[in-house]
């Protein structure tokens, strides 16, 4: 697969990644480390919460999405990272047994005015479960090296 | 410590949590699971990247922040979760050996028009290292149960 540079990303492109199975074990393991609230930590305790059963921490969902897009295209690109995230919305619970897919959409691209070796691409990442329910949406700008500058940094 | 309800959060409140040590081992462990890019995965490979050395995945930094605020106040509150995050900015690298603190600021609060048992509080969470450099800032609305409705759900 040829390496992807900023020039390869165009507004309107849409690519799907996954599916990725989510297990109860990893939901509980992530929660124990980073988000030890009852709905993420224990089936029994989760049933007594608003979520009505075990569900993944929103940060776990973000992290799973990151892994899917790193495997999907970031690792094979001249990505130079991201300054942050413009918006995250957790729309529906992520449950044990869910098979998640991510739809990556390029919203817009622009070259850098100050740094000729790079450009920006704004992405929307929508995550769906196997029932087609959108569980998360996230918008983020990526900084990507330009081909003509032979940038190979990650 | 008395449990915190929506009424206990007021615009202008500022509370600090931490410090929390970050180790190279956990940076690499998180990266192996969720963000296997060279600057998060291996000291030697990281030196050849833009980051100039091992640094935590931005999602790891978010997750550490979450753990610090769950321990800090969310677990002891009538939190009903969050619809998402309005903005994340990763401002400086998080390095092995960093001692991180989180400053939680209440930006605004409002009661829910449709649900009398809850209200909203918008927080800004700023994360600093021991040198006082702000490594991340994040803005998010939390949904919090109101005291007078005796809401004890999490």
């Amino acid at each position: 697969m040829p390496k992807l540079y900023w020039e390869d990303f165009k507004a309107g492109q849409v690519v799907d990644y996954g599916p990725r199975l989510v297990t109860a074990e990893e939901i509980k393991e992530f929660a124990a480390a980073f988000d030890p609230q009852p709905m993420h930590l224990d089936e029994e305790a989760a049933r007594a919460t608003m979520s009505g059963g075990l569900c993944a921490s929103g940060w776990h969902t973000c992290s799973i999405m990151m892994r899917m897009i790193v495997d999907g295209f970031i690792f094979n690109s001249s990505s130079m990272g991201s300054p942050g995230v413009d918006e995250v919305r957790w729309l529906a619970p992520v449950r044990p047994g869910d098979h998640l897919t991510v739809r990556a959409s390029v919203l817009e691209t622009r070259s850098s005015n100050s740094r000729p070796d790079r450009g920006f691409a704004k992405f929307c990442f929508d995550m769906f479960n196997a029932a087609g329910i959108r569980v998360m949406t996230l918008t983020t700008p990526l900084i990507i090296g330009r081909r003509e500058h032979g940038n190979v940094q990650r």
Side-chain angles (χ1 to χ4, degrees), chain A:
Chain A
M1 192 153 76
K3 181 164 171 159
L4 298 170
Y5 292 89
W6 175 76
E7 288 81 356
D8 299 312
F9 297 93
K10 303 288 179 201
Q13 287 173 341
V14 177
V15 183
D16 292 325
Y17 303 107
R20 157 73 149 79
L21 173 66
V22 181
T23 68
E25 288 63 36
E26 66 180 316
I27 288 175
K28 293 188 263 186
E29 189 185 345
F30 187 97
F34 298 115
D35 192 353
Q37 300 187 78
M39 64 282 203
H40 309 313
L41 208 50
D42 178 86
E43 281 90 348
E44 182 73 23
R47 274 191 284 274
T49 68
M50 269 175 37
S51 93
L54 196 69
C55 65
S57 167
W59 297 110
H60 189 192
T61 308
C62 288
S63 300
I64 289 172
M65 186 216 74
M66 185 66 192
R67 177 59 189 261
M68 292 173 73
I69 62 170
V70 169
D71 291 347
F73 74 95
I74 291 180
F75 202 83
N76 184 48
S77 76
S78 58
S79 168
M80 301 166 85
S82 169
V85 183
D86 289 347
E87 191 181 48
V88 183
R89 283 295 173 267
W90 295 302
L91 302 169
V94 171
R95 304 289 191 185
D98 276 354
H99 289 82
L100 300 176
T101 54
V102 170
R103 174 159 295 181
S105 308
V106 181
L107 301 180
E108 60 185 50
T109 68
R110 65 175 178 85
S111 55
S112 169
N113 294 325
S114 55
R115 309 285 290 269
D117 65 340
R118 65 195 64 180
F120 300 91
K122 184 174 280 193
F123 285 83
C124 178
F125 299 111
D126 290 306
M127 189 175 241
F128 299 88
N129 63 23
I133 294 168
R134 191 165 64 145
V135 297
M136 183 172 73
T137 186
L138 188 156
T139 308
T140 183
L142 295 189
I143 308 167
I144 309 175
R146 297 184 67 157
R147 175 176 283 112
E148 56 257 47
H149 284 77
N151 195 309
V152 293
Q153 276 190 312
R154 280 221 174 79

